[in-house]
Amino acid sequence: MKKLKTVFNQVKSLNGAGAPDMISLLWQLICYSPKMPVRLQQQLLLDEAKPFTLEVDDPHFAKSTLKFKGFTWGEGKRKILITHGWGSKAADFAELITALKSVDDMQVIAFDAPGNGSSEGELSNLLLFAKAATTVIKTFGAPDVLIGHSLGAMANAIAIKETAIQPALLISIAPLINLKENFIASLNAADVAPGLQDQFFTNFESLFDMEASHFTLHNLYPGGLVRRHWLAYDPEDKIAPFAFLENFLIAHPEVETKVYQGPGHERVIKDELVISDLVSLIA
């Protein structure tokens, strides 16, 4: 978190003016994922898990393969894959994983995406999240249930398309809907001038060979591959604004939704009512 604050303050101090390394700073502002230490309760849960290490290719930032770490709990036939959000890690689902361990015949699988938690990588992005989820699916087999929070919900959508699996249940918690708008919000918060923002998005298109506007949940949605999609959100969520979600839900009326007032974007995965509802859905 300290590094991200330093980069943010560097960018903001320029008051919209350019600098020789400005685009590099903006990449760090947008794609450096803050890493928070593991708490005692989380570490105790990780100690119970069977750890694993897998690899994905990062052709954009590291330009090499990156090792990422994951964890499994249980040996049941039903598999649950959990994909965390930006600036998060598998251990942040400690309360949910603990609750899911009580469900019969279950195996819970979670991982730290590249550039997050305990995994390798300096900068990260949605494609690395999706590659990691895809690699886990190909290694452990098709999960019956996929749970994704925030950016993890978008990553799960890509992974389902990539692997052509047909999960019985897809759960999206406070999903990001429009990634470019989240980028713009971060750039605006740091007082980045419109011209510099345009330069960043031009650089983005050159690096990824596609526009940032492509990365919306509507564009990435796996459609008929999902038998049931259940979505939880807080209408006052500032990170994933309801205005974007509303448009997505109009386009996909088959998605079941439930409103949770008050938990916000980050703490929604720890909310007792949310966890209770998820366990009931899965069990």
Side-chain angles (χ1 to χ4, degrees):
M1 182 64 77
K2 183 178 179 181
K3 177 175 179 176
L4 184 60
K5 287 181 178 178
T6 299
V7 172
F8 178 86
N9 290 333
Q10 280 182 285
V11 174
K12 195 174 180 66
S13 68
L14 294 170
N15 293 318
D21 59 347
M22 188 63 171
I23 296 301
S24 175
L25 280 173
L26 295 186
W27 277 111
Q28 293 179 62
L29 178 68
I30 297 299
C31 293
Y32 176 77
S33 183
K35 299 169 182 63
M36 302 298 290
V38 175
R39 294 182 285 106
L40 176 59
Q41 176 196 2
Q42 296 173 336
Q43 187 58 56
L44 292 174
L45 182 67
L46 294 178
D47 291 342
E48 297 176 6
K50 287 187 176 181
F52 63 86
T53 301
L54 297 171
E55 293 184 350
V56 294
D57 179 44
D58 177 12
H60 302 109
F61 294 144
K63 295 181 171 35
S64 66
T65 58
L66 296 174
K67 294 179 180 179
F68 71 95
K69 295 184 179 181
F71 315 89
T72 68
W73 292 266
E75 301 288 347
K77 293 180 181 178
R78 296 180 65 201
K79 300 181 188 299
I80 302 174
L81 174 61
I82 298 176
T83 306
H84 66 78
W86 189 254
S88 186
K89 54 190 178 296
D92 289 336
F93 284 86
E95 291 85 356
L96 175 59
I97 293 170
T98 299
L100 289 173
K101 285 167 55 184
S102 66
V103 179
D104 291 337
D105 199 25
M106 192 66 66
Q107 182 183 48
V108 180
I109 308 168
F111 62 92
D112 293 350
N116 292 258
S118 58
S119 295
E120 292 182 347
E122 178 67 14
L123 301 182
S124 191
N125 59 67
L126 171 60
L127 297 182
L128 287 175
F129 273 64
K131 283 184 177 182
T134 297
T135 301
V136 171
I137 291 169
K138 290 180 177 179
T139 301
F140 289 91
D144 300 272
V145 181
L146 287 90
I147 301 173
H149 171 237
S150 188
L151 190 72
M154 299 183 88
N156 280 350
I158 297 174
I160 291 171
K161 271 189 171 181
E162 181 67 25
T163 58
I165 60 172
Q166 295 182 313
L169 177 61
L170 174 64
I171 296 174
S172 298
I173 307 171
L176 292 188
I177 303 297
N178 188 324
L179 201 54
K180 184 176 181 179
E181 291 298 328
N182 283 88
F183 291 168
I184 291 172
S186 296
L187 294 168
N188 286 340
D191 296 331
V192 178
L196 289 172
Q197 294 192 28
D198 291 341
Q199 289 181 40
F200 171 78
F201 286 116
T202 298
N203 193 276
F204 183 102
E205 183 178 357
S206 176
L207 181 64
F208 288 97
D209 197 27
M210 64 182 73
E211 295 183 358
S213 58
H214 169 76
F215 294 102
T216 69
L217 190 56
H218 179 71
N219 288 339
L220 304 174
Y221 196 60
L225 292 174
V226 178
R227 300 180 209 173
R228 183 185 182 191
H229 186 183
W230 187 90
L231 189 152
Y233 70 95
D234 179 347
E236 301 302 320
D237 189 334
K238 304 302 182 185
I239 305 298
F242 178 68
F244 299 144
L245 176 60
E246 186 175 31
N247 291 333
F248 171 77
L249 294 176
I250 290 172
H252 298 281
E254 74 279 5
V255 177
E256 302 172 43
T257 62
K258 184 164 182 178
V259 177
Y260 295 87
Q261 297 283 354
H265 190 75
E266 295 179 359
R267 293 202 57 80
V268 65
I269 61 172
K270 305 177 187 298
D271 185 86
E272 291 183 2
L273 180 56
V274 174
I275 291 173
S276 176
D277 286 344
L278 293 185
V279 172
S280 296
L281 277 168
I282 293 166

